[in-house]
Amino acid sequence: MKRRSIVKYAAVAAAMSLGLTACSGGGGGSDQAKESGIVRVTLANHVWTEGIKAAIPEFEKSSGLKVELTQLGEDQLSDQYNVKLNAGSDEVDVMMYRPLQEGKAFAKNGYLADLTSKVSSDSSWDWKDYQEGPVKATTADGKVVGVPIITEREVLYYRKDLLQAAGLQVPKTMEELEAAAKAIKASSPDTAGFVARTGKSTAVTQFSSFLYSFGGDFIDSSGKASINTDAAKKAYAYYGGLIRNYGPANVSTDMSWPEAMAIFTQGGAAFYTEADSLYKNATDPAKSKVADKVGFAALPAGPAGSKPYNIPSWALGVNQNSSNQDNAWKFIQWATSKERTLAAQKAGVPGPRASVWSNPEGTSTYPKDLADAIAASAKNGVGHDRPEVITVGKAREIVGGPIVASITGADTAAAANEAQTAFQTFLDSEKK
Amino acid sequence: MSVLNPPRSAGTRNASGRKGTGRSFSAWANRHRKWLFAAPAMVFVGVLIVFPLAWTLYLSLTDSQGSVRAATDFIGLKNYLTVLTDMERFWPAVGRTLAFTGVALAFEVVLGMGIALLLWRPFRGEKWVRVAILLPLVATPVAVGMMWRLIFDPNIGFANQLLGAIGIPPQPWLSGQDTALGTTIFMDVWQWTPMVVLILLAGLTSLSDEPDEAARVDGANAFQRFFYITLPLMMPTVIVAILLRGIDALKTFDILYATKGKGGGSFHEVETLNVYAYGLSFDYNQYGLSSAVLILFFMIIIGIMWLLTMRKKAVSK
């Protein structure tokens, strides 16, 4: 059994990395794990992980199990899953994964164990307490395959001091946002009016809220590509235009959140739209030069209203091939309990449990304006922040094309039409 | 050796049956020692080179995608046809791979030869200079990529601040569509020129002094001595350096991925074949297509290496 899985592992790793030196193996004895009660947990580098890591000794003490933790960056985590799960490895028990990015592909490939009976087995743990959107995202073909741990909405980060100095109100609509960004850029050319992600693929999730607020979506209700509708074209032009006209000087088209956040926290921009779950980066004095000057507001309303995404960005699942599924579940049950979720949320991780949100303690550590923005966004939020397809990576590249075209000042409408054709072809190919 | 050829006394101490087995094994081992000694290496090559290659070749003929374990259909050369007619990603990636390798290699060899010539004759503080030159070589390529990415950041990077201090406007470096590939080539040159220096310096120190001295007596100047004597004598070493560095440069991945990420940036501005194949595998999960790209890539490398080895044979004669 073991030998076969190693050969398979080698075959997949080799086939996928011929000519590359990107793969690194990690290993532990699989048979040992069954007997000695080790739970192998793979987590992403994330604020949620930091909190849970500190609490693991508590779990080890109460359960008698030993936790072997692997912690990786997002991309490396994806690559590890690609290699290990593809090879049918049993080396991972609990896995932190992104329901909207990998969920469909993992479910289709049968990588995730069915947790339906497990989630309903413990009423005090309370699966019903989970918000509807997150639950939907971790359910595949009627089966629960993951437990959400973090939720996210896009909010507006802004600089209170700059707005005050310019005599501006917090923008409530996209038009006001543009006017405010323009005014600030004009009064102090060194400060950008607006900053956000610019990378073709990385910007897609944050652009999505603009798309919805302009009345568009990536795929329409009949399942057809819809990224060249008037609404979509306007959204592309607006988002790219904000960055092109009022963004930082020499703006690159590779920025993900760490780069964009750095510009904002170094005091380089007045407005920034980003996931609320990253707010600590802006308000922590150790990380941010403008920690005490940051304000939060709900995403400004577009022609179709303020429609930010409201999604579960990460969840915990169990590897279908793990021989340690019961212990894996014990870990998840502990890590997602009401107490732990409350502790995580107080440490700055917006959780998926309704009871924690309705508990005043759950929002006690949040800046008041952020808590209000989150509450508003949760109400009118959209349940996805990227196209809901199997090969999300490819879809993001296609629908992100017009974003960078718009940022660089190319013909946005033409780019949207071109991307529409490519996206429809892509959608058709996935249906086969 | 003693295991294969036990001393006679050891054999006689054994029971008669085992003695016979021991002797026949040792005789067999003696007859086949050529294979026996090579066996570990052969297993190594088989497991790490032949098997993955064969598996990749097999995958490239199937429509494997999503999961390697999912059912796949054998589709013959269709993937190759798709790849070879792909003007959007594949051929530009081929161009970039060759441009990256060619330009980086040219700089590295010329610079490397210059530095090696400077270090050739002993001078004071030679040791320190050598250590300083070797430093980039020992750094991890990913770390090198991250470091330069910070230095070349358009807004907070050191490079633009330095330029600003002397009155030059900020440059886009890595973020520019036209400048990104050049910037990564610069990083590669920065990191790998020392290796070329090492190889060429080893070649230079092994040259005999006599032809050079004879030319000096005949009144040849430094340029003439370099171009007519040192360089021709150094050609085999230069080609070895090109060969070693060339293979490495062709499959450069770390620096590109660390600086521009998946797809080689938003416009695929630094997407080489390696980065492209990586994206196909890990981002798009199109294993069949990715394998076809890798097999073609493999053939390109073999072809270039074959040409270079031919050239080396010619100059060695």
Side-chain angles (χ1 to χ4, degrees):
Chain A
M1 182 68 192
K2 175 99 186 296
R3 189 169 300 154
R4 249 183 54 212
S5 81
I6 287 176
V7 170
K8 268 196 280 173
Y9 179 98
V12 177
M16 290 171 74
S17 67
L18 178 70
L20 298 175
T21 46
C23 288
S24 71
S30 53
D31 298 325
Q32 207 187 355
K34 246 183 288 177
E35 288 152 23
S36 60
I38 294 174
V39 190
R40 281 154 312 179
V41 180
T42 305
L43 303 177
N45 292 335
H46 193 282
V47 272
W48 182 85
T49 303
E50 296 313 314
I52 213 74
K53 211 160 83 176
I56 279 178
E58 206 179 280
F59 170 71
E60 288 182 328
K61 213 168 158 191
S62 66
S63 67
L65 295 167
K66 173 132 186 48
V67 175
E68 252 176 36
L69 183 70
T70 310
Q71 204 182 328
L72 296 160
E74 281 180 33
D75 286 343
Q76 285 71 32
L77 190 79
S78 271
D79 293 351
Q80 283 266 325
Y81 289 154
N82 256 330
V83 173
K84 289 193 171 173
L85 303 179
N86 242 321
S89 163
D90 58 356
E91 279 171 30
V92 181
D93 299 323
V94 177
M95 42 198 267
M96 182 164 165
Y97 76 101
R98 292 173 287 181
L100 294 167
Q101 183 77 16
E102 291 126 354
K104 280 208 170 189
F106 283 7
K108 181 173 173 262
N109 296 336
Y111 294 162
L112 296 168
D114 181 1
L115 302 175
T116 314
S117 61
K118 289 193 164 85
V119 293
S120 49
S121 64
D122 180 359
S123 59
S124 66
W125 175 77
D126 199 4
W127 179 234
K128 290 203 175 71
D129 187 23
Y130 278 81
Q131 294 170 353
E132 196 188 316
V135 165
K136 213 178 114 200
T138 55
T139 307
D141 299 329
K143 290 180 206 151
V144 177
V145 293
V147 178
I149 48 180
I150 303 137
T151 60
E152 274 179 10
R153 289 135 301 264
E154 184 161 359
V155 295
L156 180 69
Y157 293 53
Y158 66 89
R159 285 274 300 282
K160 292 179 193 163
D161 56 330
L162 292 178
L163 256 65
Q164 204 175 8
L168 293 163
Q169 294 291 313
V170 180
K172 292 232 164 31
T173 65
M174 295 284 181
E175 278 157 8
E176 287 172 22
L177 174 64
E178 184 165 2
K182 188 177 179 182
I184 285 176
K185 179 91 175 179
S187 63
S188 51
D190 289 343
T191 313
F194 177 83
V195 70
R197 303 186 193 183
T198 59
K200 180 152 84 168
S201 179
T202 51
V204 167
T205 50
Q206 310 311 307
F207 165 72
S208 71
S209 299
F210 287 81
L211 180 62
Y212 310 148
S213 301
F214 272 84
D217 202 335
F218 299 109
I219 303 171
D220 68 16
S221 52
S222 61
K224 293 266 177 228
S226 61
I227 51 172
N228 72 340
T229 57
D230 279 350
K233 281 178 182 165
K234 275 183 195 147
Y236 279 124
Y238 178 82
Y239 184 88
L242 269 187
I243 294 170
R244 185 176 71 246
N245 298 326
Y246 318 116
N250 317 303
V251 70
S252 85
T253 48
D254 295 317
M255 289 201 291
S256 182
W257 75 264
E259 292 84 15
M261 181 67 87
I263 291 178
F264 183 74
T265 54
Q266 292 300 305
F271 294 103
Y272 173 37
T273 50
E274 185 55 79
D276 53 10
S277 60
L278 296 170
Y279 86 92
K280 280 257 167 174
N281 290 284
T283 57
D284 180 353
K287 293 179 184 166
S288 169
K289 275 189 187 168
V290 293
D292 54 342
K293 304 182 182 98
V294 178
F296 299 92
L299 191 83
S306 167
K307 285 192 167 175
Y309 62 78
N310 178 25
I311 53 129
S313 43
W314 291 92
L316 294 178
V318 174
N319 177 8
Q320 173 69 49
N321 279 308
S322 160
S323 50
N324 207 8
Q325 294 192 5
D326 288 335
N327 287 336
W329 173 249
K330 272 186 206 158
F331 177 84
I332 295 181
Q333 208 175 7
W334 165 78
T336 58
S337 64
K338 285 180 182 167
E339 300 79 52
R340 282 250 41 96
T341 307
L342 178 63
Q345 186 154 319
K346 279 166 79 177
V349 183
R353 279 185 179 274
S355 66
V356 174
W357 282 110
S358 58
N359 181 350
E361 219 190 318
T363 50
S364 59
T365 58
Y366 283 67
K368 169 88 175 56
D369 52 356
L370 178 62
D372 291 346
I374 290 175
S377 310
K379 246 179 265 158
N380 44 20
V382 177
H384 57 275
D385 66 349
R386 61 201 88 186
E388 294 177 288
V389 294
I390 297 164
T391 315
V392 178
K394 192 169 187 176
R396 282 176 77 154
E397 284 222 339
I398 298 172
V399 302
I403 302 178
V404 285
S406 176
I407 292 171
T408 52
D411 185 345
T412 311
N417 287 333
E418 203 181 307
Q420 166 79 7
T421 315
F423 193 42
Q424 188 56 51
T425 313
F426 165 84
L427 289 176
D428 293 340
S429 76
E430 285 224 325
K431 282 205 190 94
K432 274 181 202 159
Chain B
M1 210 51 205
S2 64
V3 178
L4 300 177
N5 258 332
R8 193 156 290 196
S9 59
T12 47
R13 240 184 275 134
N14 286 339
S16 58
R18 293 203 48 198
K19 189 175 77 184
T21 325
R23 189 173 289 167
S24 68
F25 173 71
S26 121
W28 177 87
N30 255 332
R31 259 183 285 123
H32 297 95
R33 60 176 183 267
K34 192 166 69 181
W35 295 106
L36 220 54
F37 281 119
M42 280 159 57
V43 171
F44 185 81
V45 168
V47 171
L48 285 164
I49 298 173
V50 178
F51 175 68
L53 205 62
W55 181 263
T56 309
L57 189 65
Y58 161 75
L59 275 181
S60 75
L61 301 173
T62 68
D63 63 352
S64 172
Q65 62 172 345
S67 167
V68 182
R69 288 181 295 154
T72 53
D73 285 328
F74 190 79
I75 54 166
L77 295 174
K78 210 174 146 206
N79 282 330
Y80 290 91
L81 199 70
T82 312
V83 170
L84 289 172
T85 54
D86 174 11
M87 295 295 164
E88 214 175 309
R89 299 282 289 268
F90 179 76
W91 286 109
V94 172
R96 272 182 227 112
T97 308
L98 296 179
F100 181 91
T101 309
V103 177
L105 210 54
F107 273 104
E108 281 158 21
V109 170
V110 172
L111 263 177
M113 183 58 107
I115 297 172
L117 285 172
L118 289 175
L119 293 176
W120 187 12
R121 305 292 177 209
F123 59 91
R124 266 180 80 183
E126 185 191 349
K127 246 193 239 164
W128 295 106
V129 174
R130 284 193 189 190
V131 169
I133 283 176
L134 289 185
L135 276 180
L137 194 58
V138 293
T140 316
V142 174
V144 169
M146 306 281 250
M147 177 187 85
W148 283 109
R149 183 176 156 173
L150 275 178
I151 294 176
F152 283 132
D153 184 282
N155 289 296
I156 51 171
F158 178 68
N160 276 345
Q161 287 179 10
L162 200 70
L163 286 186
I166 52 173
I168 300 175
Q171 300 299 314
W173 306 113
L174 279 168
S175 53
Q177 275 180 71
D178 312 319
T179 50
L181 192 64
T183 309
T184 54
I185 289 176
F186 165 81
M187 293 176 202
D188 194 78
V189 171
W190 179 85
Q191 177 159 40
W192 294 109
T193 303
M195 192 183 96
V196 180
V197 172
L198 270 190
I199 298 172
L200 295 182
L201 197 56
L204 281 175
T205 40
S206 69
L207 288 186
S208 117
D209 285 340
E210 282 144 22
D212 191 63
E213 273 164 22
R216 211 184 278 257
V217 170
D218 287 343
N221 64 28
F223 276 101
Q224 287 168 327
R225 276 182 282 132
F226 174 72
F227 281 108
Y228 294 109
I229 298 187
T230 314
L231 195 59
L233 286 172
M234 281 290 287
M235 261 341 255
T237 319
V238 170
I239 291 182
V240 166
I242 292 179
L243 208 67
L244 287 176
R245 186 57 213 128
I247 298 176
D248 249 14
L250 274 172
K251 60 194 180 86
T252 300
F253 177 78
D254 327 43
I255 286 183
L256 304 176
Y257 188 75
T259 49
K260 297 292 283 181
K262 280 179 182 159
S266 283
F267 295 93
H268 311 300
E269 51 268 52
V270 302
E271 185 174 70
T272 59
L273 278 176
N274 234 350
V275 177
Y276 181 44
Y278 175 87
L280 281 177
S281 272
F282 286 93
D283 211 14
Y284 298 178
N285 299 110
Q286 290 181 322
Y287 308 118
L289 216 54
S290 167
S291 300
V293 170
L294 287 170
I295 292 289
L296 289 170
F297 187 23
F298 183 72
M299 279 158 47
I300 293 175
I301 296 184
I302 295 281
I304 294 175
M305 292 313 123
W306 181 75
L307 283 177
L308 276 174
T309 344
M310 283 316 200
R311 181 82 199 118
K312 179 166 182 279
K313 274 192 190 144
V315 295
S316 302
K317 263 178 198 164

